[in-house]
Amino acid sequence: MAHFRSFCRSVVPIGVVFGFIIVATWLPPSPHFRRMGPKPKAVIQSDGAHQIKNNYPTETPKINSLAGPPKINAQGGPQKIIAPAEPPKINALTKPPKINSPAKPPKNKSLAEPPKTKRPQRNFVFLKVMKTGSTTSAAIMFRYGMKHNLVAVLDDRFINPFIFVDKEGLVYHEYNCKNFPGYNYMANHLHHYSHPNALSGIKKVIKNPKIFTMLRSPLTRSKSAFYYTRPFHMPFIGLPNPFETFLKQCVNQMIGNAEYKIFNLQMREFFRYKNTPNDTELENMFAQLNQELDLVMITEYYDESLVLLRKMMDWEFEDMVYRPTNAYHGEMPPTTAEMKKIIQKLSYLDIKMYEYFNNTFWERVKNYDGDFEEDLRLFRSVQRKAIDYSDEHFDFGYYGNLKLNWRQILEMVAEKQNKWDC
C-alpha cells in the first residue's frame, strides 16, 4: 500500500501535466490569450490604425472613414491581413501638387531638358549722361563689377569719367598680359555716342553687351546742371533766383556753351545734326536709338528703373542698392511757370526725346514679366536696409562701401585691375 501511494505521488502529476497540454491543444484559442509564434507583418487593430513594421515608414496614415470596421473571424480574434504590395496612400491632408496643364513625359529620360537656371548678364555698357543721376548709377555698376571680378573699360588716366571715340573706335587703357580675360563692362561718359564708330567700337571691345542709359526731364536737368556748373551759376550768386535770371538772359543771347551744357545736352549726347530736325525726323531718330539700346531708364522714376534693369540683367535686389552721390546740396529757389516755358523753348529737342523714351519706359513696365509692384516693394525694402546698415557701419562689404563716392570706387577698380598690366 505504501508503494502504491508513492507511485501516485510521482506519476499522477506528470499525467495531469500531459493531459492539460492535450486539452489545450484540442480546444480553440481564446481571444484573451495571444497566439504564439511570429507576429504578422501588418494587422488592422480595433481602432482602425494600419500598423506596418520594417517594410514601410513608421508614420501611420489614417484609413478612409468610409471603410467598414475590420472583420472578426469566427473564433472572435482579429483577422490576419497580408501587407499590401504598394505603400499606403497619402491621407487627404497632404496638399496635392499644382498642375497647370498635362504634359507628356519624355520617352527617353536622357533627352529631357535640364531645369532652367539664372544666367546673370556679365557684359554691359552704361552710358552716362550729365546730371541725370548717372554717377549714382555708375557706382552701382562698378560695385557690381568688383563683386563679381569683372574687368572694366577705363581711360588711360583711370579716374577720367570719359571714354573717347576716334576713327578706330574707343580710346581706352589696354591691358597687355597674355592671360588677360577681356573686358566685361563700361560705365562712363562716351564722347560721343553719336560718333559713327561708337556703337561698333563698343561691341568690338565688349562682346554681346547689354547697353543702357538714363534720361531726365529737361525741366529739372537744366536746373541741376546750372547749379552744378560753377561758370554758369557763380556770376548770379546773391540774386533772389539765380537760375531765373540766367534763363531770361539766354532767351536774348546764349551764355557761353550753355546751349550744350544746359539745354539739349541729352539730344547731343546721342545724335549728330547740323540743322534742327523736324518732328518726323526726330521720331525716326528716336526709333533707331531705341533699337540700339536695350533699356532707357528715367531719373524721375529711379527705383522703378532699377527694377526694370534688374529684371533685364537677371541680377539680385542687393546688386541694385545705391546712395545718391555727386548731387548739389545748396539752396535752389523753385521753378516758376514762366521759367518752365523758357526751358521748354530752349530745350525743345530734349523735351521731345524725353517724351518719347518716357513712353517706352512705361511700355516696359506694362509688359513686365512678373509682379512689378511687388518687385518694387521688395527692392525698396532691401534699399532701406542697405542704407540703414551703411549709416551705422563703414567697411568694404557690399553695403558698407555705399558711402564711397564714384571717384573712390573708380580708383579701387583701377587698382584691382593693375594685375593685368604686365
Side-chain angles (χ1 to χ4, degrees):
M1 193 67 179
H3 292 288
F4 178 76
R5 284 196 299 268
S6 176
F7 173 81
C8 290
R9 290 192 193 101
S10 58
V11 174
V12 172
I14 297 174
V16 172
V17 172
F18 278 103
F20 179 82
I21 294 173
I22 293 171
V23 171
T25 305
W26 176 76
L27 289 174
S30 172
H32 300 289
F33 293 92
R34 287 186 179 180
R35 183 182 297 274
M36 302 298 289
K39 296 181 181 180
K41 293 184 179 179
V43 297
I44 295 182
Q45 295 180 336
S46 59
D47 61 359
H50 193 165
Q51 289 188 339
I52 299 175
K53 190 172 183 180
N54 298 329
N55 290 350
Y56 304 108
T58 57
E59 187 176 354
T60 58
K62 296 180 180 179
I63 296 297
N64 191 331
S65 60
L66 297 178
K71 294 181 179 180
I72 306 298
N73 61 21
Q75 287 79 11
Q79 182 181 2
K80 292 184 181 180
I81 301 296
I82 300 175
E86 297 181 357
K89 294 182 179 180
I90 299 174
N91 61 34
L93 297 178
T94 304
K95 189 175 181 180
K98 293 183 178 180
I99 300 176
N100 296 328
S101 59
K104 295 182 179 180
K107 293 181 179 180
N108 188 344
K109 291 185 178 180
S110 63
L111 298 178
E113 292 183 0
K116 292 183 179 180
T117 56
K118 277 190 174 183
R119 292 186 178 181
Q121 291 287 338
R122 296 289 194 244
N123 290 10
F124 58 90
V125 173
F126 173 61
L127 301 172
K128 294 186 65 182
V129 178
M130 178 186 172
K131 304 316 297 175
T132 63
S134 63
T135 300
T136 299
S137 303
I140 295 174
M141 309 309 155
F142 282 114
R143 290 172 62 245
Y144 182 86
M146 287 193 295
K147 176 182 177 181
H148 296 281
N149 296 316
L150 307 181
V151 182
V153 175
L154 301 176
D155 180 82
D156 270 331
R157 289 171 288 178
F158 296 119
I159 59 173
N160 181 23
F162 287 91
I163 297 293
F164 292 87
V165 185
D166 62 14
K167 61 182 180 180
E168 296 182 359
L170 303 188
V171 180
Y172 60 98
H173 182 78
E174 297 187 48
Y175 295 101
N176 54 13
C177 286
K178 291 183 179 180
N179 61 340
F180 177 61
Y183 298 94
N184 299 106
Y185 72 104
M186 184 176 84
N188 301 75
H189 291 282
L190 189 63
H191 195 73
H192 290 283
Y193 183 85
S194 59
H195 193 286
N197 297 328
L199 184 58
S200 60
I202 288 173
K203 294 183 177 181
K204 182 179 179 180
V205 176
I206 302 174
K207 303 302 180 184
N208 302 317
K210 290 288 186 181
I211 307 175
F212 48 95
T213 190
M214 180 167 285
L215 299 181
R216 183 178 181 180
S217 169
L219 297 178
T220 56
R221 200 212 71 83
S222 57
K223 184 177 183 178
S224 178
F226 169 78
Y227 283 102
Y228 180 77
T229 310
R230 286 180 173 271
F232 290 123
H233 81 262
M234 288 296 289
F236 302 94
I237 290 179
L239 297 177
N241 194 331
F243 187 47
E244 181 180 25
T245 306
F246 169 80
L247 287 175
K248 290 180 178 179
Q249 289 191 16
C250 286
V251 171
N252 300 320
Q253 183 179 0
M254 195 60 65
I255 299 175
N257 63 346
E259 184 177 4
Y260 171 71
K261 290 289 186 181
I262 308 297
F263 311 109
N264 296 316
L265 176 138
Q266 298 174 114
M267 185 74 181
R268 293 179 182 274
E269 282 287 329
F270 291 96
F271 302 103
R272 281 188 174 188
Y273 51 90
K274 292 182 180 180
N275 302 316
T276 302
N278 59 40
D279 288 352
T280 302
E281 291 171 335
L282 287 174
E283 192 76 15
N284 293 333
M285 293 163 71
F286 298 153
Q288 178 62 35
L289 181 62
N290 191 43
Q291 292 293 320
E292 295 173 358
L293 302 181
D294 294 287
L295 176 65
V296 177
M297 300 181 285
I298 301 295
T299 307
E300 283 72 22
Y301 307 101
Y302 194 75
D303 287 356
E304 290 86 346
S305 295
L306 294 181
V307 170
L308 287 181
L309 180 63
R310 170 193 168 272
K311 174 66 70 171
M312 182 181 77
M313 303 297 287
D314 269 336
W315 292 357
E316 302 297 333
F317 287 119
E318 290 77 7
D319 298 327
M320 317 309 297
V321 296
Y322 65 92
R323 181 182 286 276
T325 183
N326 211 29
Y328 179 78
H329 298 290
E331 182 181 357
M332 292 189 290
T335 303
T336 65
E338 182 184 5
M339 293 168 65
K340 290 180 181 179
K341 289 181 180 180
I342 295 174
I343 295 172
Q344 289 171 342
K345 179 181 178 180
L346 298 179
S347 296
Y348 174 75
L349 297 179
D350 264 15
I351 291 287
K352 298 295 289 185
M353 184 178 183
Y354 178 82
E355 289 176 347
Y356 180 93
F357 284 102
N358 186 49
N359 288 334
T360 64
F361 176 85
W362 290 109
E363 280 294 320
R364 294 287 290 264
V365 173
K366 179 181 178 182
N367 298 320
Y368 185 79
D369 181 17
D371 188 335
F372 183 83
E373 292 299 327
E374 177 63 13
D375 282 357
L376 180 61
R377 184 192 68 79
L378 290 173
F379 168 62
R380 284 175 171 166
S381 175
V382 173
Q383 170 68 13
R384 285 192 297 271
K385 292 177 182 178
I387 292 296
D388 290 344
Y389 181 89
S390 66
D391 285 341
E392 298 175 3
H393 305 81
F394 180 78
D395 53 50
F396 291 97
Y398 207 62
Y399 290 167
N401 65 12
L402 280 175
K403 290 182 180 179
L404 297 176
N405 62 39
W406 178 83
R407 192 170 295 277
Q408 290 172 319
I409 295 175
L410 189 58
E411 289 174 348
M412 291 173 61
V413 172
E415 183 178 356
K416 185 175 182 179
Q417 294 182 182
N418 281 341
K419 63 182 179 180
W420 300 117
D421 270 326
C422 298

